[in-house]
């Protein structure tokens, strides 16, 4: 007997339902993927990329890690961005955080959490860069703002990768967006920092 049989049962029911609605769905999907979007989001189980924007398989290329961090030297994330931009030729990269992020919360605490503290150092950096904006706020307001500021910082990190810079240099259409999602009501918020060129990056970095 299969361990986790219930998941295989759910899979079969899901695939069957899709085939009933569209008999060619999987055969067409198996021939190519041509997503327009790369989603860089949090690993949190409550923030699944496709479901939030109600798109079927094949529409979003996804990278997720704790607190949706884009580290300059993270080969995993950089490889995803390179493949998405240079091979799939996505037109949009979306960095999406969520309020109530456990990674952000852990980074705000003083207690140790083990090896993950090394990863959370990146969030503490964001906190340090924005110390003025964050000072004097209540815990909850600070928590929400740090979730947003982390998105902005990671958008900048995406824009500063050689991959995105090279894409802009050859005049590829590529926008980088920063969004935050509310687990409480299921609604996405655009943080209005869409960046589409080196010039915009330089201009917006002065303000944010
Ligand atoms: Co999270």
């Amino acid at each position: 007997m299969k361990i986790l049989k219930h998941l295989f049962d759910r899979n079969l029911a899901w695939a069957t339902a899709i085939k009933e609605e569209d008999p060619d769905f999987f055969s067409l999907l198996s021939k190519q993927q041509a997503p327009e979007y790369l989603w860089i989001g949090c690993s949190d189980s409550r923030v699944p990329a496709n479901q939030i924007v109600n798109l079927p398989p094949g529409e979003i290329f996804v990278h997720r890690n704790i607190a949706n961090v884009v580290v300059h030297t993270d080969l995993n994330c950089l490889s995803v961005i390179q493949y998405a931009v240079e091979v799939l030729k996505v037109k949009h990269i979306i960095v999406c955080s969520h309020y109530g992020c456990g990674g952000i919360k852990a980074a705000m605490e003083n207690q140790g959490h083990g090896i993950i503290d090394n990863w959370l150092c990146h969030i503490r950096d964001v906190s340090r860069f924005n110390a003025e904006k964050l000072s004097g706020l209540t815990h909850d307001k600070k928590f929400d703002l740090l979730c947003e500021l982390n998105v902005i910082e990671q958008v900048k990190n995406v824009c500063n990768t050689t991959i995105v810079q090279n894409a802009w240099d050859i005049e590829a259409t590529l926008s980088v967006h920063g969004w935050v999602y509310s687990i409480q009501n299921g609604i996405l918020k655009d943080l209005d920092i869409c960046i589409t060129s080196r010039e915009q990056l330089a201009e917006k970095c002065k303000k944010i």
Side-chain angles (χ1 to χ4, degrees):
M1 193 179 119
K2 272 190 188 117
I3 296 174
L4 300 180
K5 183 178 176 301
H6 60 292
L7 295 186
F8 287 87
D9 292 343
R10 293 180 71 91
N11 165 251
L12 186 60
W14 171 78
T16 305
I18 288 180
K19 278 182 270 189
E20 270 169 18
E21 201 174 301
D22 180 359
D24 298 326
F25 181 83
F26 289 109
S27 60
L28 288 173
L29 196 63
S30 67
K31 291 189 184 99
Q32 64 152 8
Q33 65 161 337
E36 271 193 34
Y37 317 97
L38 164 60
W39 175 283
I40 299 175
C42 183
S43 297
D44 193 303
S45 64
R46 299 165 295 179
V47 195
N50 284 66
Q51 277 155 290
I52 285 175
V53 285
N54 198 17
L55 283 175
E59 301 290 333
I60 310 186
F61 201 62
V62 175
H63 177 77
R64 289 167 70 182
N65 61 41
I66 289 173
N68 43 270
V69 177
V70 177
V71 179
H72 301 303
T73 53
D74 178 358
L75 196 57
N76 183 356
C77 185
L78 292 175
S79 301
V80 170
I81 296 174
Q82 184 183 13
Y83 190 77
V85 171
E86 295 181 5
V87 180
L88 299 174
K89 303 202 184 300
V90 298
K91 293 191 172 63
H92 304 275
I93 301 176
I94 298 154
V95 178
C96 185
S97 179
H98 64 101
Y99 295 118
C101 180
I104 304 280
K105 183 165 178 279
M108 288 170 67
E109 294 167 356
N110 287 322
Q111 72 194 78
H113 302 86
I115 197 167
I116 194 176
D117 285 324
N118 300 284
W119 184 254
L120 297 177
C121 280
H122 298 295
I123 310 291
R124 296 202 180 95
D125 287 344
V126 177
S127 193
R128 203 176 65 251
F129 301 156
N130 295 279
E132 225 170 279
K133 286 180 193 159
L134 292 162
S135 73
L137 299 177
T138 61
H139 176 275
D140 289 357
K141 286 225 163 69
K142 189 175 171 183
F143 189 8
D144 285 351
L145 183 59
L146 189 53
C147 290
E148 295 179 1
L149 293 170
N150 180 47
V151 173
I152 292 168
E153 195 62 32
Q154 306 316 322
V155 164
K156 287 194 252 176
N157 287 348
V158 171
C159 292
N160 281 315
T161 61
T162 53
I163 305 150
V164 171
Q165 299 266 316
N166 290 344
W168 285 336
D169 285 346
I170 59 166
E171 293 180 359
T173 304
L174 182 63
S175 312
V176 185
H177 309 258
W179 297 356
V180 64
Y181 172 75
S182 170
I183 290 172
Q184 286 190 332
N185 63 17
I187 300 298
L188 278 170
K189 178 167 130 188
D190 189 348
L191 293 177
D192 200 23
I193 46 157
C194 175
I195 299 177
T196 59
S197 65
R198 279 179 187 259
E199 293 70 31
Q200 274 190 357
L201 176 63
E203 192 187 313
K204 293 204 176 178
C205 277
K206 276 189 230 152
K207 294 185 205 152
I208 53 182

